[in-house]
Amino acid sequence: MPSVSMTINGKKVLGEVEARTLLVDFIREDQRLTGTHVGCDTSQCGACVIHINGEAVKSCTMLAVQANGAEITTIEGLANGDELHPMQEAFRDNHGLQCGFCTPGMIMSAVALAKRNSAPSEKEVRHYLEGNLCRCTGYHNIVKSVIAGARAMS
Amino acid sequence: MPRDDGIGAAVRRKEDFRFITGRGSYTDDLNRPGQAFAAFLRSPHAHARVDSINVSPAMAVEGVVAVYTGQDLADAGVNGLPCGWQVHSKNGEPMAEPAHPALAQGKVRHVGDAVAVVIAESRTAARAGAEALEVAYTPLPAIPNMKSAKGAVATVHDDVTNNQCYDWELGDEAEIDAALAASAHQVTLSLVNNRLVPNPMEPRVAIGDFDHASGEHTLYTTSQNPHVIRLLMGAFVLGLPEHKLRVVAPDVGGGFGSKIFHYAEEAVVTWAAAKLRRPVKWTSDRSEAFMTDAHGRDHETTVTLGLDADGKFNALKVITDANMGAYLSTFAPCVPTYLYATLLAGQYTTPKIYAGVRAWFTNTVPVDAYRGAGRPEATYVVERIVEEAARQIGVDPAELRKRNFIAPDAFPYPTPVALEYDSGNYAGTLDKAMAAVDYANFKSRQAASKAAGKLRGIGFSAYIEACGIAPSAVVGSLGARAGLYESGAVRVHPTGSVTFYTGTHSHGQGHETTFAQVIAERLGVPIDNVDVVHGDTNKIQFGMGTYGSRSLAVGGSALAKALDKVEAKAKKIAAHLMEASADDVEFKDGQFTVAGTDKSVGFGDVALTAYVPHNFPHDELEPGLEEQAFYDPANFTFPAGCHICEVEIDPDTGRTEIVNFVAADDFGNIVNPMIVEGQVHGGIAQGVGQALLEGCLYDGDGQLMTGSYMDYCMPRADDLPNFKVETQVTPCPHNPLGVKGCGEAGAIAAPAAVMNAVTDALRSAGVSKPIDMPATPSKIWSALNGA
Amino acid sequence: MYNFNYQTASSADDAAAKVSASDEGKLLAGGMTLLPTMKQRLAMPSDLVDLSKAGLSGISVAGNVVSIGAMTTHDTVANSKEVASAIPALAKLASGIGDPAVRNRGTIGGSIANNDPAADYPAAVLGLGATIVTNKRSIAGDDFFTGMFDTALEDGEVITRVDFQVPETASYIKFPNPASRYAIVGVFVAKTAGGVRVAVTGASPCVFRASEMEAALTANFSAGALENSSVSANGLNADIHASAEYRAHLVGVMAKRAVAACS
């Protein structure tokens, strides 16, 4: 079996995986970081979004072996100890989540957006979140959260 | 000064920390030591005889532990899945209730019907095993829709020869026909309420576990009501006594109704875990969810409204065909009857109403409650026909509604369709919504759009909802096989912190915060000192779960009752501490005082005394401070309101954009306005989804054509606008908190508002023939081009 | 997903050799289509040869030609200053493919090699008359897309880059499928040194040039010039989202909007 090594949330991890192991399964099952979720099988829902080398990607559409040597951040690695990331704080302050299932992917996408655009408009946020589905919030408060979170990050 | 964490405060949610940090605990996040994995082989046919199943090739796959078929379950005495509600046809006969085996026995009846389960050491091995199974099918003619069900070219169930589940009615058809005939105006519409796939973002998961030493079975499942699952699965399917069966529904990623029902996979993994003496885990993928989660809606209706010369509604007649799918899901029969026809009075004084509902079996996924369940369908019928009538007789749609509203002083108001509305002020919410949308200037906005080559339309939806199911006696008389009360237990700990055990279940609704606010307000303890526990039958004595916007109205009432008991006992303890009579003790802001004195003792001291009773009046009081209450509502409660939608259509492409959406809702008293607003937003999004985007389609062979997000259109962030949400407060007069319910309002109200707006926009371009949901660009373009 | 051997390639030739040496080998570029297909167990390659370390990504501009390496992601193209200044329509097209996370992985080479009937890039390649450069040869855009999910690529042939001639003006407008967000119809219009080109994706089994529209625009490059030209609905795709007639109509609407957006 191929062996992989990568850095997840600042921690070096090693593993032996089948070639077909999806990165999300490596993260959830092997590393037991279950904050990253799987909500579809057609790469559309975005519940599995993580950062690889700083970029948002769908970990359900990538093999673990493709992430060999990569620097990965998952939702568990976003906060600085007990100090929440401003985007996490913004989601809580603005009721940007209900059931919480899409939330990790949503927050990871939002952080990626905010890094590129510190003052996104409502329209830009809605467009950027095209690849993240939420069934609970109607997006209204997610959009509000992302705008507030981006402002807090800058 | 009101508390900043009590009733009425927009408190940040207590549950959010774990969700935003990735520390939620959803069922798929759980893994049991030594667990095996289940994969189901599912029918590729809509309708077929299963001639043989050869399990040997699957058993030969490396890692496969066991394969079970329907025959194995039958041999083990496993029963089919029960239906929780019995409807009788108008001739008095009970509905047709065909068997619903957990794994197919002899026949498959929809694409996705489970044929066998393969259990293996890994998920991939289980899947490979399922693929290796050899099943010989003889395809049978499929019944893909209600039209072909009526034609009965084939029968979905051999013992239901006309494919009809029931033929039910409410009201006197001849009387209503006569009233319609005598009306100055008659307006008729044919409407389709499109089939939807609920699509909570978390797919279903079930883990069966068995402790051989204790004989205890445990099911971890993605459920909105773990006690109901324990009751149905334990008593009816597997024959397990409740003290040996624990059902846990941990964090659940949305439900919207689809996680109310007892599903085959839950029973199969629980049974297999005991048989194999190791945990068995099944995780649905999204494709599997599309063909196994109960779908919603799927009605075809003809509605006729009779009006007198002044535009007063005389009579309403509604004939509806409802698709049940291939089997009766847990609550399916009540959705198009008691949760639908009883709401057809809407907000109006229509004196005579008739509803005839025929339910059909088809070779499709079972249909059951989906957010709103019956009430969106009723609102859609009523609000479409009222708006159509307004346009046809040339009265402003707001004005026509006002002429027919039940007046605020007419409550309690008995409707001709078996309900008694508790309270309401319908003109109030209509006026609020009209102001919020700036109705007065709509015409100028419409003209501006026209000048820019766009079609603008506006549509109303003045909805009523019955929620807080149920008064058990009432629902029992209507065929519910269980009462639908709720339970709650308040445990005060020695230092005054509180744990509340509720039989409701939160899967996004924010109960951990809302209930805690009620407790903080009542007991004067900080919200951080209150925890809410739900979702585990070993921790909570009993509960009916969360659906039908019932949690606060029913579960919150049980909490209020339990708090009454806590306060009563605490007063006795306080009286003892202050050497006063309990009758003289007052309790406010966490302090017990004796009227007319300066004596005072804090809630924490009372709690400590209850548990560390050095000087306790044992002859009068037991130690401890914990109380449980069951609450069975006196009536449904009736939230209502008005949503107005304004759309702009691009006639070149047929694309509709929602340019304005306002909601004015009356949910009675509100505990957490932030959470209530969020519930409304989500409901509206699902309603807009139904109106413009979502539609589950089968082809003529019963193949699912919208089996993934590639074809089933889920609302995305850029499909929706920001919503303007306002509330009005007309308290519920019969429950202790005065609350109604807010979870479903958006999904109930929005479809009619959007479609009335689309219809209005099309009418401005001379297209008078209404189109059905979802109003996709392609459908609108066809309507505009006479195609 | 069925299991397979995973290999990495150090160059295009290395990739070609490794695929040729395997039973049923396939190239892995961004994987945005291949991996979902494999997850559905609809493909069963014996080997995946990963191109990510084959040195095939990057953008360069030389004279009148913008060269985009096959493994360059959509996001890189969308945010490239060079592309934005030379062929803004191409940057805009890339910025509208899939969603942000998909754009961070998906590549131009993977997209055109797959030739999905509803993909965006084929419209740009055909609309700009680009040249596809492989480890073996150069293929004219006009000759590259041969049918649904089919291209002129031969076994053992690996795309290394795509060369785009900078047009006088160009624009791409699409009407997305409401569910998948792939193009129901996408039209790329360009005024190039070799004449006006109109490439249509999403509408038919394979991207194609709308010759009647090209003729009309050659005579008069304005949206109005398209009033009387159309594409026939014959042979166009029809599905639950759009009939052939609706698609034919949308080709006209998108073409006019694309022309109007050309500055």
Side-chain angles (χ1 to χ4, degrees):
Chain A
M1 286 206 292
S3 55
V4 290
S5 80
M6 58 191 88
T7 305
I8 304 183
N9 302 330
K11 204 179 114 199
K12 188 103 180 153
V13 303
L14 302 167
E16 297 231 314
V17 296
E18 287 188 314
R20 63 177 157 181
T21 303
L22 295 172
L23 180 57
V24 70
D25 291 332
F26 181 72
I27 290 169
R28 282 182 57 81
E29 308 294 332
D30 294 41
Q31 301 303 316
R32 289 279 185 256
L33 291 168
T34 53
T36 301
H37 296 151
V38 178
C40 79
D41 42 21
T42 48
S43 312
Q44 280 158 312
C45 81
C48 66
V49 169
I50 59 168
H51 292 180
I52 296 187
N53 303 329
E55 299 281 7
V57 305
K58 292 184 168 174
S59 61
C60 77
T61 314
M62 194 168 163
L63 303 168
V65 288
Q66 287 178 287
N68 204 7
E71 189 88 39
I72 289 175
T73 307
T74 69
I75 187 71
E76 289 93 341
L78 208 54
N80 182 12
D82 285 342
E83 191 192 329
L84 290 177
H85 186 281
M87 192 60 78
Q88 291 172 313
E89 201 71 81
F91 269 69
R92 182 162 67 167
D93 287 346
N94 292 285
H95 192 28
L97 64 150
Q98 291 183 22
C99 82
F101 194 80
C102 76
T103 308
M106 205 59 91
I107 290 178
M108 295 311 281
S109 284
V111 170
L113 167 63
K115 280 184 182 165
R116 291 183 177 207
N117 182 350
S118 59
S121 66
E122 182 206 330
K123 199 173 168 191
E124 285 168 333
V125 172
R126 288 183 182 277
H127 178 64
Y128 191 87
L129 294 179
E130 190 176 353
N132 289 82
L133 294 178
C134 169
R135 192 59 153 167
C136 293
T137 64
Y139 303 99
H140 182 115
N141 284 342
I142 289 178
V143 174
K144 209 164 132 190
S145 304
V146 177
I147 291 170
R151 196 181 306 127
M153 279 169 66
S154 66
Chain B
M1 210 178 91
R3 299 180 64 88
D4 62 5
D5 60 358
I7 290 176
V11 182
R12 295 192 315 181
R13 298 200 319 170
K14 286 165 67 74
E15 45 271 82
D16 283 355
F17 183 80
R18 66 179 188 271
F19 295 134
I20 56 179
T21 54
R23 266 85 176 179
S25 182
Y26 299 89
T27 310
D28 193 49
D29 301 341
L30 306 177
N31 291 290
R32 306 298 301 160
Q35 83 192 355
F37 297 84
F40 289 82
L41 178 71
R42 302 194 176 277
S43 171
H45 301 286
H47 195 195
R49 210 169 52 230
V50 179
D51 298 317
S52 66
I53 305 172
N54 180 7
V55 304
S56 334
M59 288 302 295
V61 171
E62 190 184 337
V64 169
V65 174
V67 181
Y68 301 115
T69 66
Q71 190 60 50
D72 295 315
L73 295 188
D75 292 346
V78 174
N79 293 314
L81 307 178
C83 180
W85 202 298
Q86 187 180 49
V87 168
H88 284 76
S89 286
K90 57 191 179 191
N91 63 8
E93 292 288 320
M95 67 187 187
E97 196 173 351
H100 185 177
L103 295 174
Q105 292 182 359
K107 221 174 149 184
V108 285
R109 294 184 177 85
H110 65 87
V111 169
D113 208 356
V115 177
V117 63
V118 175
I119 294 159
E121 298 293 346
S122 69
R123 211 169 277 180
T124 44
R127 201 168 269 209
E131 206 168 80
L133 280 167
E134 289 172 0
V135 182
Y137 297 99
T138 301
L140 299 168
I143 302 288
N145 51 43
M146 292 192 280
K147 189 172 171 222
S148 79
K150 292 176 203 171
V153 290
T155 52
V156 177
H157 297 277
D158 296 343
D159 50 350
V160 187
T161 52
N162 60 357
N163 290 317
Q164 193 176 73
C165 178
Y166 55 72
D167 181 359
W168 177 91
E169 68 176 2
L170 184 63
D172 183 330
E173 186 172 15
E175 187 191 337
I176 274 71
D177 282 341
L180 284 173
S183 298
H185 308 281
Q186 273 193 51
V187 184
T188 296
L189 269 180
S190 290
L191 298 166
V192 172
N193 206 288
N194 42 328
R195 177 184 276 243
L196 302 176
V197 184
N199 274 307
M201 290 319 301
E202 178 204 29
R204 287 189 297 119
V205 181
I207 308 171
D209 202 351
F210 179 63
D211 182 338
H212 187 51
S214 67
E216 190 184 77
H217 304 259
T218 304
L219 169 68
Y220 302 87
T221 184
T222 47
S223 175
Q224 301 176 218
N225 35 218
H227 290 85
V228 175
I229 301 305
R230 184 181 65 171
L231 180 69
L232 294 171
M233 185 174 80
F236 297 99
V237 185
L238 298 180
L240 302 174
E242 266 135 354
H243 70 297
K244 293 294 184 196
L245 175 56
R246 176 185 180 199
V247 179
V248 183
D251 285 330
V252 172
F256 315 112
S258 71
K259 292 174 181 168
I260 297 172
F261 323 119
H262 177 35
Y263 287 97
E265 297 86 0
E266 295 171 320
V268 170
V269 297
T270 305
W271 175 80
K275 187 153 172 84
L276 297 169
R277 294 190 180 172
R278 64 187 288 194
V280 176
K281 179 176 188 174
W282 169 76
T283 302
S284 173
D285 58 28
R286 182 59 61 187
S287 307
E288 208 171 3
F290 268 99
M291 53 184 174
T292 62
D293 291 5
H295 292 175
R297 318 284 193 254
D298 206 346
H299 285 193
E300 293 171 11
T301 293
T302 302
V303 51
T304 304
L305 177 66
L307 303 89
D308 72 13
D310 298 328
K312 287 284 281 180
F313 305 157
N314 284 338
L316 180 74
K317 180 174 182 177
V318 175
I319 302 295
T320 293
D321 287 304
N323 195 340
M324 296 282 103
Y327 303 99
L328 289 179
S329 175
T330 312
F331 291 109
C334 73
V335 175
T337 50
Y338 297 106
L339 296 181
Y340 166 70
T342 53
L343 276 303
L344 288 170
Q347 300 185 348
Y348 311 109
T349 55
T350 317
K352 294 179 192 301
I353 298 175
Y354 174 81
V357 180
R358 295 165 300 196
W360 304 94
F361 292 109
T362 59
N363 291 119
T364 62
V365 172
V367 179
D368 206 328
Y370 167 62
R371 199 172 196 167
R375 293 152 293 167
E377 295 92 319
T379 294
Y380 189 66
V381 167
V382 172
E383 290 304 290
R384 285 295 307 273
I385 195 69
V386 166
E387 194 114 331
E388 184 69 22
R391 303 297 185 190
Q392 286 194 17
I393 68 174
V395 177
D396 181 88
E399 166 59 23
L400 185 68
R401 285 179 170 87
K402 285 186 175 177
R403 277 184 209 172
N404 288 282
F405 277 156
I406 298 163
D409 60 4
F411 296 92
Y413 181 86
T415 73
V417 275
L419 295 178
E420 186 177 274
Y421 292 170
D422 54 353
S423 62
N425 176 359
Y426 306 141
T429 42
L430 178 72
D431 286 340
K432 251 181 193 292
M434 286 171 69
V437 84
D438 187 18
Y439 187 65
N441 290 306
F442 170 71
K443 287 289 173 200
S444 67
R445 294 195 296 277
Q446 191 176 38
S449 293
K450 193 174 178 187
K454 300 282 177 66
L455 309 172
R456 191 178 274 251
I458 196 163
F460 292 73
S461 178
Y463 72 97
I464 186 98
E465 155 178 28
C467 67
I469 193 167
S472 294
V474 176
V475 297
S477 72
L478 302 178
R481 286 167 168 161
L484 294 166
Y485 53 82
E486 197 45 77
S487 86
V490 175
R491 178 177 297 172
V492 181
H493 301 286
T495 52
S497 62
V498 178
T499 304
F500 174 54
Y501 299 85
T502 176
T504 65
H505 186 279
S506 184
H507 31 279
Q509 296 87 344
H511 294 175
E512 290 169 42
T513 305
T514 301
F515 287 140
Q517 286 178 257
V518 172
I519 292 166
E521 177 82 33
R522 183 70 179 270
L523 299 182
V525 295
I527 191 173
D528 289 342
N529 289 0
V530 182
D531 268 0
V532 175
V533 173
H534 61 90
D536 185 339
T537 61
N538 270 18
K539 292 182 181 166
I540 296 112
Q541 195 218 347
F542 207 84
M544 285 299 174
T546 287
Y547 41 82
S549 305
R550 69 190 301 273
S551 295
L552 191 58
V554 190
S557 297
L559 167 60
K561 260 181 89 176
L563 287 169
D564 286 344
K565 295 185 189 178
V566 166
E567 183 179 321
K569 181 166 180 185
K571 275 182 173 168
K572 288 182 190 168
I573 300 169
H576 164 72
L577 287 172
M578 296 186 286
E579 297 175 332
S581 157
D583 293 341
D584 296 334
V585 173
E586 288 171 359
F587 180 55
K588 194 165 175 266
D589 298 334
Q591 288 292 318
F592 296 89
T593 52
V594 180
T597 76
D598 60 356
K599 288 180 177 175
S600 165
V601 57
F603 182 74
D605 294 326
V606 168
L608 189 65
T609 303
Y611 288 95
V612 191
H614 296 300
N615 176 22
F616 204 78
H618 288 290
D619 45 340
E620 295 162 32
L621 277 176
E622 293 173 18
L625 191 52
E626 172 167 355
E627 298 289 348
Q628 178 165 32
F630 282 70
Y631 178 80
D632 198 336
N635 188 2
F636 290 95
T637 180
F638 296 88
C642 181
H643 291 203
I644 303 178
C645 175
E646 200 169 316
V647 300
E648 202 175 60
I649 291 174
D650 174 355
D652 288 340
T653 62
R655 188 170 178 280
T656 300
E657 186 187 352
I658 293 181
V659 289
N660 210 345
F661 197 107
V662 307
D665 298 297
D666 193 335
F667 301 131
N669 292 333
I670 287 173
V671 175
N672 186 323
M674 176 193 82
I675 288 177
V676 166
E677 245 186 52
Q679 290 293 309
V680 175
H681 294 160
I684 293 170
Q686 285 176 339
V688 170
Q690 168 162 32
L692 296 181
L693 306 168
E694 301 177 44
C696 177
L697 298 176
Y698 283 90
D699 72 8
D701 297 323
Q703 290 293 326
L704 182 59
M705 291 194 288
T706 49
S708 81
Y709 295 149
M710 295 297 282
D711 287 308
Y712 187 88
C713 186
M714 288 282 279
R716 303 193 198 207
D718 59 1
D719 289 318
L720 298 166
N722 278 332
F723 312 112
K724 281 185 213 148
V725 175
E726 303 194 0
T727 52
Q728 164 185 290
V729 177
T730 310
C732 169
H734 59 77
N735 67 37
L737 297 172
V739 296
K740 291 186 168 179
C742 65
E744 295 163 299
I748 290 169
V754 175
M755 290 307 290
N756 282 335
V758 167
T759 307
D760 186 42
L762 290 176
R763 192 179 277 112
S764 77
V767 177
S768 58
K769 186 167 178 272
I771 61 171
D772 281 317
M773 301 186 288
T776 58
S778 139
K779 231 184 253 177
I780 287 177
W781 178 79
S782 297
L784 285 169
N785 291 279
Chain C
M1 193 182 292
Y2 301 104
N3 210 0
F4 52 85
N5 298 311
Y6 172 79
Q7 306 186 56
T8 50
S10 58
S11 67
D13 285 335
D14 183 38
K18 282 176 170 156
V19 168
S20 300
S22 64
D23 285 344
E24 289 282 337
K26 266 188 182 296
L27 297 169
L28 176 63
M32 293 297 100
T33 301
L34 180 57
L35 293 176
T37 308
M38 290 173 65
K39 279 161 70 177
Q40 303 280 4
R41 300 170 87 90
L42 297 172
M44 195 167 40
S46 64
D47 293 70
L48 285 190
V49 180
D50 188 345
L51 290 165
S52 62
K53 295 183 175 66
L56 299 178
S57 64
I59 295 167
S60 63
V61 181
N64 208 26
V65 176
V66 176
S67 293
I68 301 180
M71 286 295 287
T72 310
T73 64
H74 309 325
D75 186 70
T76 304
V77 174
N79 290 297
S80 155
K81 289 197 176 67
E82 293 92 333
V83 176
S85 85
I87 318 178
L90 189 58
K92 183 171 166 267
L93 175 145
S95 76
I97 301 172
D99 58 57
V102 166
R103 290 194 286 276
N104 281 332
R105 296 288 303 165
T107 64
I108 185 169
S111 171
I112 63 175
N114 187 49
N115 193 17
D116 187 301
D120 299 302
Y121 260 131
V125 169
L126 198 57
L128 290 167
T131 302
I132 292 95
V133 181
T134 75
N135 59 328
K136 293 186 174 164
R137 57 180 169 148
S138 292
I139 307 170
D142 283 329
D143 302 329
F144 186 79
F145 302 105
T146 51
M148 188 160 74
F149 296 109
D150 203 15
T151 68
L153 290 170
E154 291 164 359
D155 286 349
E157 192 165 19
V158 178
I159 300 172
T160 56
R161 65 170 204 270
V162 185
D163 291 345
F164 294 93
Q165 294 277 336
V166 175
E168 192 179 313
T169 181
S171 177
Y172 176 70
I173 308 272
K174 72 170 156 181
F175 190 77
N177 177 317
S180 71
R181 299 291 177 99
Y182 275 82
I184 278 186
V185 163
V187 178
F188 199 105
V189 173
K191 213 169 170 183
T192 72
V196 173
R197 299 172 73 98
V198 178
V200 179
T201 188
S204 83
C206 183
V207 64
F208 68 95
R209 287 175 66 182
S211 46
E212 193 182 317
M213 288 183 171
E214 289 182 353
L217 291 172
T218 301
N220 171 13
F221 193 81
S222 73
L226 294 174
E227 281 305 332
N228 297 315
S229 58
S230 61
V231 298
S232 160
N234 265 346
L236 294 195
N237 297 333
D239 54 35
I240 58 172
H241 302 287
S243 65
E245 291 70 26
Y246 180 48
R247 277 191 164 85
H249 164 78
L250 285 175
V251 172
V253 176
M254 295 302 120
K256 276 181 227 161
R257 290 181 183 182
V259 172
C262 285
S263 49

